[in-house]
Amino acid sequence: MVDKMIYTVKEVSEIIHTNPAYVYSLIKSGLLPALKLGSYKIRKTALQNFLEDNEG
């Protein structure tokens, strides 16, 4: 499998084991930076930083 640089909201929700609505709420609150490319896309590094910053 090719390692992706950009994830969809659905992919992020599957990675962090939650639902897409929660991912949208993280984006809207500014906690998870996202790109607006037609639909929201999340960079791999942004997701990694979010997980590291909110660990524990």
Side-chain angles (χ1 to χ4, degrees):
M1 181 178 179
V2 176
D3 197 21
K4 299 174 77 172
M5 289 180 53
I6 297 178
Y7 297 114
T8 64
V9 168
K10 183 175 186 235
E11 289 171 328
V12 170
S13 70
E14 291 169 358
I15 290 168
I16 64 174
H17 305 287
T18 187
N19 59 50
Y22 182 68
V23 176
Y24 282 115
S25 71
L26 292 173
I27 293 168
K28 290 185 191 305
S29 69
L31 290 172
L32 181 60
L35 306 167
K36 183 73 169 152
L37 303 170
S39 59
Y40 284 115
K41 304 287 190 292
I42 297 92
R43 289 183 307 125
K44 179 181 179 180
T45 54
L47 179 57
Q48 289 172 329
N49 291 339
F50 168 78
L51 293 173
E52 289 171 7
D53 293 344
N54 293 283
E55 188 173 14

